[in-house]
Amino acid sequence: MNSCLRARGGASATHRARIRARWSLLLTALVLALAPGAQAAPAPAPSPTPPESAAGAPFGVRAGLYGLTTLTGGHFGYALRAGARIEDSAVIYNQSNEARTFHVYGADVTHAAGGGLAPAQEGQRMRAVGAWLKLGSEATVTVRPKSSATVRFSLAVPDGTPPGSYLGSLVTALRTPAVSGGVNTETRIARLVELTVPGTADLQVSLTELEHRPAGGGEEFTVTVRNTGNVLYTFTGQLKVTGGGSTRTVPLSPAGIYVIPGGSAIVTGRLTDLPVLGRRAVTASVTATVPGGATKTVDSNTVRLSSFPWLIAALAVGGLLALGLLLVVTRERRRAWLRRRAEERTALRALRRHLRAGNPPADDPRGARGAEHP
């Protein structure tokens, strides 16, 4: 029995020792965690924030020399003389959980239908920045999941290039393979490459004829803005409406869009509260602004509108014609009735004279009998 008690006592002592050891370990870990020297080392400073991605795209692109040679939003901006060359890079972020293969190329920028700018499609003939931008490596790049890759490129301005503004883009495309007989989809992120070749800036703006047509119960006006100079600019426009003793303005849309040298953009404005009766004079006025530079305002031809209630006038004229016709018809009927009345009165007077003369009417029976039997 004593041996059994000693065995049980030894087991209890061993169990208590194990519990004390476990608590010691927990307390030690807690003290180390709270000690200043035991705190985790700070995470390395993050690289510049990845740029905004295309809507729903699992990747993003930013300029390599971010904040040094770029415009806002991760675009590129350079001032180079003809014959000069510069090197830069773009960083592609793969934010998905699988490796992605991207296709990178340079493109000219053209005006999109309905206004705004868009990069030229790959395979089109490039004439400016799209042709001058050369990649320093392969155009196809594979990026690991949650990683980034740098694509280097150079931009060389040909000798003899006239001064002015030139706009291009660096396009990064992600193509999604077709699924079960579907079609391929491609998501593109285009970063603008704005190139300025120093020289005499020539800000030139011209407008086409101001046109108008009825629309939505009013008049819609359209004018085309053309950049005939050598600098890139944005513009805002408005319609000036005079007449009726007052002057007011109506904005033209879209506003604030870029127009590249040699390019054009169509803007529209609508007047919906024209008077029922009166005259108005409408002129389009456009103000072009070079970013950080000069401005210029030009006016279009003047369109004169004469408002007249044609429907009301037509209804009034129709009513008058109907009334006139009714009067004519009524007048003829009245004349016929008056003629009949006059004839009846004449016949009645003749009959009365005949009776006063003692002559019975020719159709009187008594007169006839008297003639047969005197």
Side-chain angles (χ1 to χ4, degrees), residues 130-177:
W132 306 339
L133 192 151
K134 304 295 182 182
L135 296 177
S137 57
E138 293 294 329
T140 300
V141 126
T142 300
V143 186
R144 297 190 306 272
K146 303 297 183 181
S147 300
S148 63
T150 299
V151 176
R152 299 187 179 280
F153 65 88
S154 63
L155 180 64
V157 184
D159 290 325
T161 301
S165 298
Y166 300 87
L167 203 61
S169 62
L170 182 70
V171 181
T172 303
L174 171 64
R175 178 169 295 179
T176 303

Side-chain angles (χ1 to χ4, degrees), residues 12 14 24 30 35 97 111 117 157 246 266-267 272 300 337 340:
S12 299
T14 303
S24 299
L30 181 61
N97 294 320
H111 281 280
L117 301 175
V157 184
S246 62
I266 299 175
V267 289
T272 57
S300 71
W337 179 76
R340 289 195 299 271

Side-chain angles (χ1 to χ4, degrees), residues 67-148:
L68 299 179
T69 62
T70 62
L71 300 172
T72 58
H75 302 291
F76 302 88
Y78 309 104
L80 298 175
R81 295 185 179 278
R85 181 177 181 274
I86 194 172
E87 293 185 356
D88 202 339
S89 62
V91 182
I92 304 174
Y93 289 86
N94 180 8
Q95 300 168 356
S96 70
N97 294 320
E98 59 184 21
R100 299 282 189 180
T101 299
F102 302 93
H103 186 59
V104 186
Y105 60 93
D108 289 341
V109 167
T110 60
H111 281 280
L117 301 175
Q121 295 291 335
E122 186 180 12
Q124 292 182 351
R125 183 180 177 184
M126 305 301 172
R127 302 178 182 274
V129 174
W132 306 339
L133 192 151
K134 304 295 182 182
L135 296 177
S137 57
E138 293 294 329
T140 300
V141 126
T142 300
V143 186
R144 297 190 306 272
K146 303 297 183 181
S147 300
S148 63

Side-chain angles (χ1 to χ4, degrees), residues 178-191:
V179 179
S180 64
V183 295
N184 291 328
T185 60
E186 187 177 80
T187 303
R188 299 191 301 169
I189 294 181
R191 294 302 181 199

